[in-house]
């Protein structure tokens, strides 16, 4: 350590909840004087050091990490977590850390800010049965006389303190390699060996290496190896600790679960891309978080585009847009005025950050985009960055001034809200496009500069493309054409982050669906036609059931009139034969909503034959809906045989249906069913299932209460039973250890 | 005055830049913004708050006390250059078990140089 510039005789480090035994210069036994407030330690160095001096500090301490808060993105700030420390819970024993934002200073003293960085060594002593993981390379492993083992991890490239990590546990470790980069997958031993690679998408990972390294022109990955570990009870989704990425349990599933599941691949891409944008080059402060997260977010688009094609990538882009708009407020991407640093982890830093990069790529072209990223990374390697460093790299590569772009997208808030009015004058053969920018609000530019393209479709396969620059509040464009257009399409590349209203007719949307090139064109057409009563619309939706992109087939399934016999036949076909699980599931859900028709045989075939867990679950839910509507208590067996196969959000409806059916039984039956639900509510490892079972018991109580209120004789019959259910609810609440679930229970089940 | 200057100047520029086929651009007259720099202005406080009203009632004095800087989270001032961190750690699972608030206990050394 050394003074950065100014001479000083003191140093202050972040060190939260420590008990110091010794605090001295390295190799000295005399303690230095210090002041400690439980959060920071201010050390009197005893003499003045200049920037030419280097000194070493030694700490011997006990750290006791405790939680003082958390956020939506990272639910606990404890920093270091013991999982099942006493071994009494039905889960593996583990220790793992979560540094971001400033929580690693709960287990080691440091300058816990993103604009700091250093190299790292860590000696981890554990019982020999445990595996360890940390940043960099495992350089040495020594067995000790007391039966423990000490692993020595060395990270000789500097990185920010929030990226330090360690993990300890009974992991199965799969060794892999992509060219010169060692790859490791740490998963629970229960995962079948064949599935261990599936979890981390081994081939995609290799392809990520190909894609990102080639695209970015970087030879190495930060940390010299790439390990990924799944831990229990993780407090976020995943974390890009340099060369040792942590994932939550969602990553760990069998092949059925992983079928058609792009989430895992996207998360792998996200964390890997962070190794350049976040780890190698780091945001200068949390106000600049999008310099990390915007890039990681955009990597998901890049990966999907590379592996699956533009339609899949644009489908993802649309989800990102919805996420951003769903935040419901408009803020600058770079904002120093946040209330709490955790607020920065929002749909602006992530979604909008990624979409702005997408527009920047469109603006400068692919070759310049990736060349500029390479320059940005090379120039700023191992340093902290602000948005201006990115701008300068792009300006140096392209020769263009890009202040206007960065100003409006990074330092101002909002996005264009556009009203587009198309017109055609037959006499003059002029197409007109009137663009009005309607956005307003604090820090939102009244005028965005928007370079974009207008496509004019003339029929018979002819199309004219006009590049325009929208840079006024109200603007009017005119184009001479040889004949009346079939369609005029503003923002035809569909890369603009904007909310757009247009005056297209049904006929024009139909033409757009069949003739415009992108998924987003076809999606836009279907969305607009979904609100139309025109027969044209229904014919397009039928055609869309055979769209080349599954996202539109799925949308069409939900939009068609499922009560039509022809449509039903098509839906039955899709439910069993569409190559994409999302479409099969959508078809099942639609068919299950048809009244007066029994598709039970289809649902049972799907449960038996489909390979994707999500589709089987949809079939089980469809069956459960049917059974819950009957009075046949024999169907309870179906629920009890299948409830271990239904999880996450789907479990809520499945268990609710079980309760609805069981509540039609006598006192003995209801009590028996409630007892079974209580076991799940208390012992099940999935919080979704625990909640679902609890919710089902509460549902039984609600149904009984209604009956007792309506019928005095039932009040006598059910009183003791209902008291039992209420007692069960209290028991379950008292035994629940998950803090989030406790909050839900207290709010919902009183 | 400065606000008005920016607004009028910008409006004039835009008016002069309009082509005959283009519609007039309209936006709030008192928009305070520049497109090529970050512009941070002080926020006006609630002058209805009694504690902010000056005793003399002089307008200039009210104006002088009527603004506050917006929230600003500055980057950490770097005083030292941390070059390296070395850690040694071991864990006491039993204590973590026996006392929940002491989830973690390590015997660690920390070396910076």
């Amino acid at each position: 350590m050394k003074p950065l510039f100014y001479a000083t005789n003191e140093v202050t480090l972040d060190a939260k909840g420590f008990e110091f035994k010794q605090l001295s210069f390295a190799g000295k036994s005399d303690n230095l004087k210090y002041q400690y407030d439980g959060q920071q330690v201010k050390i009197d160095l005893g003499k003045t050091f200049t920037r030419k001096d280097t000194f070493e500090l030694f700490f011997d301490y006990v750290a006791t990490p405790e939680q003082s808060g958390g956020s939506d993105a990272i639910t606990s700030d404890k920093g270091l977590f013991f999982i099942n420390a006493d071994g009494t819970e039905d889960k593996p024993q583990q220790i793992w850390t979560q540094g971001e934002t400033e929580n690693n200073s709960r287990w080691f003293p440091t300058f816990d800010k993103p604009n700091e960085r250093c190299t790292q060594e860590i000696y981890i002593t554990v019982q020999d049965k445990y595996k360890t993981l940390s940043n960099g390379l495992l350089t040495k492993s020594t067995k000790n006389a007391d039966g423990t083992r000490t692993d020595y991890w060395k990270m000789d490239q500097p990185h920010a303190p929030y990226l330090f990590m360690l993990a300890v546990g009974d992991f199965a470790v799969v060794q892999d390699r992509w060219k010169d980069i060692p790859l490791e997958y740490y998963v629970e031993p229960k995962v079948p060996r064949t599935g261990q690679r599936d979890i981390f998408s081994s081939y995609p990972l290799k392809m990520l290496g190909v894609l990102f390294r080639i695209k970015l022109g970087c030879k190495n990955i930060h940390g010299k190896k790439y390990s990924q570990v799944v831990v229990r009870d993780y407090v976020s989704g995943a974390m890009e600790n340099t060369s040792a990425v942590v994932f939550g349990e969602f990553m760990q599933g069998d092949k059925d679960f992983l079928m058609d599941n792009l989430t895992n691949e996207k998360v792998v891409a996200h964390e890997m891309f962070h190794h350049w944008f976040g780890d190698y080059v780091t945001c200068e402060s949390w106000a600049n978080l999008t310099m990390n997260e915007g890039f990681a977010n955009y990597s998901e688009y890049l990966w999907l585009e590379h592996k699956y094609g533009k339609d899949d990538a644009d489908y993802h882009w649309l989800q990102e847009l919805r996420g951003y708009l769903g935040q419901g407020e408009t803020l600058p991407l770079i904002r120093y005025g946040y209330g709490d640093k955790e607020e920065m982890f929002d749909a602006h830093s992530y979604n909008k950050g990624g979409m702005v990069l997408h527009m920047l790529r469109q603006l400068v072209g692919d070759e310049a985009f990736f060349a500029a990223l390479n320059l940005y990374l090379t120039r700023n390697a191992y340093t902290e960055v602000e948005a201006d460093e990115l701008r300068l790299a792009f300006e140096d590569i392209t020769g263009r001034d890009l202040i206007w772009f960065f100003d409006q997208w990074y330092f101002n808030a909002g996005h264009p809200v556009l009203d587009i009015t198309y017109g055609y004058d037959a006499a003059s053969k002029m197409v007109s496009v009137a663009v009005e920018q309607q956005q307003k609000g604090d820090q939102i530019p009244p005028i965005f500069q928007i370079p974009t393209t207008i496509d004019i479709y003339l029929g018979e396969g002819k199309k004219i493309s006009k590049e325009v620059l929208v840079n006024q509040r109200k603007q009017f464009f005119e184009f001479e054409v040889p004949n009346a257009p079939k369609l005029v399409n503003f923002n035809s590349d569909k890369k603009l982050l904007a909310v757009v209203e247009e005056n297209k007719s049904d006929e024009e949307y139909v033409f757009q669906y069949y003739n415009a090139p992108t998924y987003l064109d076809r999606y836009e057409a279907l969305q607009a036609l979904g609100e139309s009563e025109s027969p044209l619309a229904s014919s397009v939706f039928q055609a869309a059931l055979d769209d080349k992109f599954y996202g539109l087939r799925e949308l069409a399934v939900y939009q068609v009139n499922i009560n039509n016999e022809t449509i039903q036949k098509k839906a039955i076909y899709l439910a069993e034969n569409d190559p994409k699980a999302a479409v099969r599931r959508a078809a099942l859900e639609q068919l299950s909503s048809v009244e007066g028709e029994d598709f039970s045989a289809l649902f049972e075939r799907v449960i038996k034959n489909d390979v994707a867990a999500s589709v089987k679950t949809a079939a089980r839910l469809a069956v459960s809906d049917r059974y819950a509507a009957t009075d046949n208590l024999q169907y309870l067996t179906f629920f009890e045989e299948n409830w271990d196969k239904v999880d996450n959000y789907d479990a809520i409806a499945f268990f609710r249906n079980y309760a609805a059916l069981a509540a039609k039984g006598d006192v003995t039956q209801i009590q028996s069913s409630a007892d079974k639900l209580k076991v799940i509510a208390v012992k099940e490892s999935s919080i979704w299932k625990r909640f679902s079972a609890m919710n089902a018991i509460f549902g039984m109580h609600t149904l009984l209460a209604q009956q007792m209120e309506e019928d005095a004789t039932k009040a006598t019959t059910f009183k003791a039973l209902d008291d039992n259910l209420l007692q069960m609810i209290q028991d379950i609440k008292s035994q629940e250890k998950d803090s989030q679930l406790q909050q839900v229970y207290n709010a919902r089940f009183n | 005055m400065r606000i008005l200057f920016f607004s009028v100047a910008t409006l004039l520029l835009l008016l002069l830049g309009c082509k005959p086929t283009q519609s007039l651009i309209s936006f709030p007259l008192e928009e305070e913004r520049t497109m090529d720099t970050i512009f941070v202005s002080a926020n006006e406080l609630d002058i209805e708050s009694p504690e902010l009203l000056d005793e003399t009632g002089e307008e200039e004095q009210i104006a002088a006390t009527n603004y506050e800087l917006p929230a600003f989270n500055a980057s950490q001032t770097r005083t030292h250059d941390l070059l390296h961190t070395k850690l040694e750690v071991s864990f006491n699972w039993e204590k973590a078990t026996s006392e929940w608030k002491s989830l973690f206990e390590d015997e660690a050394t920390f070396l910076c140089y």
Side-chain angles (χ1 to χ4, degrees):
Chain A
M1 184 184 290
K2 63 176 187 175
L4 188 73
F5 188 84
Y6 299 107
T8 182
N9 62 354
E10 63 181 33
V11 59
T12 301
L13 291 158
D14 298 301
K16 296 164 187 157
F18 285 20
E19 181 186 334
F20 294 107
K21 296 179 179 175
Q22 185 179 341
L23 200 168
S24 62
F25 286 117
K28 308 286 185 185
S29 57
D30 294 341
N31 270 322
L32 292 164
K33 290 179 184 172
Y34 64 90
Q35 296 171 10
Y36 184 52
D37 65 0
Q39 297 293 308
Q40 290 188 311
V41 57
K42 184 177 179 182
I43 303 161
D44 182 348
L45 298 171
K47 62 177 254 190
T48 298
F49 288 84
T50 74
R51 63 181 180 273
K52 294 178 181 174
D53 300 320
T54 299
F55 58 90
E56 299 175 6
L57 288 176
F58 173 81
F59 297 81
D60 188 354
Y61 62 96
V62 175
T64 311
E66 288 189 13
Q67 179 176 343
S68 64
S71 65
D72 289 343
I74 304 161
T75 58
S76 170
D77 63 356
K78 196 159 66 175
L80 187 146
F81 298 78
F82 275 87
I83 303 301
N84 189 20
D86 60 4
T88 59
E89 296 177 72
D90 183 24
K91 61 175 81 168
Q93 290 182 289
Q94 296 176 351
I95 299 169
W96 46 263
T97 61
Q98 169 57 36
E100 198 173 30
T101 45
E102 297 172 7
N103 303 320
N104 273 345
S105 52
R106 292 185 187 278
W107 54 282
F108 66 92
T110 190
F111 300 109
D112 205 352
K113 298 289 180 184
N115 65 347
E116 191 62 65
R117 55 179 63 234
C118 66
T119 52
Q120 162 197 347
E121 292 171 278
I122 182 165
Y123 294 84
I124 309 173
T125 299
V126 294
Q127 291 169 269
D128 197 28
K129 65 180 180 179
Y130 292 125
K131 300 282 195 310
T132 72
L133 176 63
S134 189
N135 314 93
L137 298 175
L138 177 60
T139 304
K140 192 177 178 184
S141 192
T142 308
K143 292 200 174 186
N144 305 314
D146 62 357
T148 62
R149 190 187 77 253
T150 300
D151 290 344
Y152 170 48
W153 293 86
K154 187 175 183 184
M155 171 82 190
D156 56 12
Q157 296 166 287
H159 64 153
Y162 76 87
L163 297 166
F164 282 39
M165 75 82 72
L166 65 82
V168 175
D170 181 17
F171 297 110
V173 183
V174 179
Q175 306 282 348
D176 211 341
R177 179 170 285 273
W178 187 81
K179 291 196 173 178
D180 52 333
I181 300 176
L183 309 173
E184 293 176 328
Y185 317 135
Y186 284 60
V187 294
E188 291 176 21
K190 70 174 185 183
V191 178
R193 189 152 186 83
T194 52
Q196 290 169 0
R197 278 186 171 78
D198 295 332
I199 287 172
F200 288 119
S201 311
S202 174
Y203 285 110
L205 184 58
K206 294 175 184 178
M207 293 166 73
L208 285 169
V210 174
L211 170 67
F212 293 158
R213 294 214 310 179
I214 289 175
K215 288 275 190 189
L216 299 176
C218 298
K219 287 184 178 177
N220 294 313
I221 193 162
H222 199 25
K224 296 185 177 175
K225 67 112 165 49
Y226 198 74
S227 300
Q228 301 177 107
V229 57
V230 176
V231 301
R232 285 295 183 105
D233 300 345
Y234 190 47
V235 291
S236 188
M239 177 65 206
E240 68 271 20
N241 309 299
T242 314
S243 78
V245 176
V246 172
F247 295 88
E249 286 167 68
F250 70 92
M251 205 70 181
Q252 202 162 253
D254 57 23
K255 219 175 178 85
D256 288 1
F257 166 77
L258 295 168
M259 183 77 60
D260 284 347
N261 181 347
L262 294 182
T263 301
N264 287 19
E265 285 186 46
K266 288 195 280 190
V267 177
V268 169
H270 184 110
E271 304 309 330
M272 173 168 270
F273 215 55
H274 263 313
H275 277 65
W276 290 280
F277 300 94
D279 297 3
Y280 189 56
V281 170
T282 309
C283 66
E284 187 259 359
S285 67
W286 302 120
N288 297 276
L289 183 65
T290 198
M291 304 311 293
N292 291 6
E293 298 300 346
F295 282 100
N297 177 281
Y298 190 48
S299 74
E300 299 172 26
Y301 185 97
L302 291 173
W303 170 244
L304 293 173
E305 183 185 37
H306 171 79
K307 185 178 179 187
Y308 299 104
K310 192 172 183 317
D311 281 357
D312 269 277
D314 283 346
Y315 184 50
H316 168 76
W317 181 91
L318 185 64
Q319 292 168 331
E320 295 302 299
L321 175 66
R322 285 174 177 159
Y324 161 69
L325 295 176
Q327 187 167 328
E329 59 181 339
T330 49
L331 303 162
L333 270 183
I334 308 293
R335 53 184 191 276
Y336 292 90
Y338 58 77
D340 187 296
K341 60 187 183 305
E342 308 297 331
E343 293 170 10
M344 293 303 299
F345 292 78
D346 67 356
H348 282 71
S349 298
Y350 286 72
N351 305 38
K352 184 179 182 182
M355 287 186 287
V356 168
L357 289 169
H358 194 47
M359 288 189 288
L360 184 57
R361 178 183 169 195
Q362 168 70 10
L363 179 69
V364 301
D366 269 23
E367 189 177 357
F369 181 77
F370 290 108
L373 292 189
N374 178 270
L375 177 62
Y376 167 75
L377 290 171
T378 307
R379 186 182 277 173
N380 300 292
Y382 306 122
T383 66
E384 62 276 9
V385 289
E386 299 182 49
D388 283 331
E389 263 113 9
L390 183 67
R391 174 177 60 80
L392 291 170
F394 272 83
E395 289 183 342
D396 286 349
I397 289 292
T398 63
R400 300 181 189 172
D401 183 290
L402 295 169
I403 284 178
W404 65 271
F405 181 93
F406 280 76
D407 232 25
Q408 73 180 18
W409 289 114
Y410 279 91
F411 296 108
N412 280 295
H415 51 267
V417 177
L418 303 176
D419 185 65
I420 312 292
T421 306
Y422 302 105
Y424 174 68
D425 185 278
S428 61
K429 293 190 173 179
M430 296 292 281
V431 163
S432 63
V433 180
V435 181
E436 182 179 8
Q437 301 199 32
Q438 298 180 329
Q439 68 278 357
K440 57 184 177 182
D442 187 35
Q443 297 189 69
I444 299 174
I447 300 173
F448 277 84
Q449 292 194 58
I450 307 167
T452 190
T453 306
I454 298 173
D455 283 354
I456 304 169
Y457 291 82
L458 299 168
E460 299 177 349
K462 294 177 185 170
K463 182 177 80 174
I464 300 170
S465 290
K466 297 286 185 183
E467 291 190 3
V468 298
L469 174 64
V470 179
N471 59 359
Q472 298 175 32
R473 185 75 173 175
K474 287 183 179 176
Q475 205 159 357
F476 191 80
F477 300 95
E478 281 189 322
F479 310 101
E480 193 173 349
V481 291
N483 57 274
K486 296 286 187 185
L487 171 72
V488 183
N489 200 14
F490 178 83
N491 178 34
S492 60
D493 55 41
K494 298 286 180 275
K495 290 185 169 66
L496 177 64
L497 169 53
V499 173
V500 182
E501 286 284 333
E502 300 172 289
N503 69 331
K504 289 176 185 166
S505 65
D506 283 356
E507 288 76 10
E508 287 169 322
Y509 277 122
V510 170
F511 185 91
Q512 180 170 321
Y513 176 78
Y514 287 112
N515 295 278
T518 71
Y519 151 75
L520 289 169
D521 284 313
R522 303 200 303 285
Y523 169 81
E524 191 178 275
L526 290 183
Q527 277 295 100
L529 292 169
E531 297 168 8
S532 169
E533 301 290 327
S534 164
L536 285 171
S538 60
S539 70
V540 171
F541 281 117
Q542 283 197 48
L545 291 172
D546 290 312
D547 195 282
K548 66 176 183 177
F549 180 59
Y550 77 91
L552 291 178
R553 294 198 301 277
E554 180 188 8
L555 176 64
V557 166
Y558 286 121
Q559 294 278 16
V560 290
N561 176 12
I562 196 67
N563 293 312
N564 177 298
E565 196 175 330
T566 307
I567 300 290
Q568 282 178 20
K569 285 179 182 171
K570 179 69 176 178
I572 290 168
Y573 176 81
L574 291 173
E576 290 191 283
N577 297 288
D578 195 279
K580 285 290 186 178
V583 182
R584 300 199 299 276
R585 181 179 169 114
L588 287 169
E589 287 179 353
Q590 277 291 76
L591 288 167
S592 72
S593 70
V594 177
E595 292 184 7
E597 294 287 344
D598 185 3
F599 299 107
S600 298
L602 167 70
F603 300 147
E604 284 164 17
R605 284 202 305 276
V606 170
I607 292 171
K608 184 179 175 186
N609 299 326
D610 204 286
V611 291
S614 64
V615 182
K616 290 183 176 182
T617 296
R620 290 187 180 102
L621 281 176
V623 173
S624 79
D625 284 341
R626 301 259 162 196
Y627 289 171
T630 72
D631 294 327
N632 189 346
L633 297 175
Q634 289 184 337
Y635 289 144
L636 290 173
T637 311
F638 165 81
F639 289 90
E640 291 162 6
E641 287 176 349
N642 282 279
W643 58 30
D644 65 322
K645 302 178 185 76
V646 180
D647 203 348
N648 299 318
Y649 189 75
D650 293 326
I652 298 173
F654 191 82
F655 280 83
R656 189 176 57 225
N657 283 340
Y658 174 73
L661 181 58
K664 294 171 184 171
D666 59 18
V667 171
T668 309
Q669 178 60 62
I670 297 171
Q671 181 67 55
S672 168
S673 294
D675 288 341
K676 290 171 184 172
L677 288 170
K678 185 184 176 186
V679 172
I680 294 169
V682 171
K683 295 194 172 179
E684 175 61 47
S685 60
S686 159
I687 64 168
W688 284 100
K689 281 192 195 174
R690 292 207 302 279
F691 170 80
S692 300
M694 170 69 141
N695 190 50
I697 295 171
F698 189 78
M700 284 177 159
H701 153 68
T702 306
L703 288 170
L704 291 186
Q706 281 175 357
Q707 291 181 46
M708 289 192 293
E709 193 175 318
E710 292 166 2
D711 185 341
T713 56
K714 287 189 175 175
T716 311
T717 313
F718 289 144
K719 177 70 174 68
L721 172 61
D722 193 44
D723 287 345
N724 283 348
L725 295 183
L726 290 171
Q727 185 58 49
M728 268 187 194
I729 290 167
Q730 294 308 315
D731 290 347
I732 294 165
K733 284 170 76 171
S734 67
Q735 292 183 58
E736 181 56 55
K737 289 181 179 174
D738 184 273
S739 59
Q740 291 181 72
L741 218 45
Q742 284 171 349
Q743 287 178 21
V744 173
Y745 285 179
N746 287 331
R748 193 178 173 95
F749 303 128
N750 282 314
Chain B
M1 193 61 178
R2 187 164 179 259
I3 294 172
L4 188 61
F5 170 76
F6 273 108
S7 301
V8 172
T10 310
L11 186 59
L12 281 173
L13 283 171
L14 289 165
L15 284 171
L16 291 171
C18 284
K19 294 175 183 175
T21 55
Q22 293 168 332
S23 304
L24 181 66
I25 296 155
S26 65
F27 59 91
L29 280 173
E30 294 192 347
E31 178 65 26
E32 183 181 16
R33 189 175 307 284
T34 55
M35 291 299 286
D36 59 353
T37 58
I38 307 171
F39 188 86
V40 179
S41 67
N43 293 331
E44 191 170 1
L45 294 179
D46 180 6
I47 59 169
E48 299 300 321
S49 302
E51 64 272 19
L52 296 175
L53 292 174
D54 78 317
E55 293 176 359
T56 62
E58 293 289 333
E59 285 187 17
E60 285 185 10
Q61 289 185 17
I62 293 174
T65 59
N66 205 18
Y67 291 90
E68 67 174 1
L69 281 171
F72 184 80
N73 295 282
S75 305
Q76 173 203 224
T77 299
R78 297 185 66 216
T79 57
H80 293 76
D81 193 4
L82 180 58
L83 302 175
H84 186 73
T85 298
K86 181 178 177 182
L87 298 164
E88 293 178 16
V89 63
S90 60
F91 303 99
N92 188 329
W93 291 79
E94 284 183 9
K95 286 201 173 182
T97 304
S98 60
E99 189 175 341
W100 188 248
K101 286 185 178 178
S102 299
L103 284 174
F104 171 80
E105 183 173 0
D106 70 353
E107 298 293 330
T109 56
F110 171 74
L111 183 63
C112 315
Y113 54 85

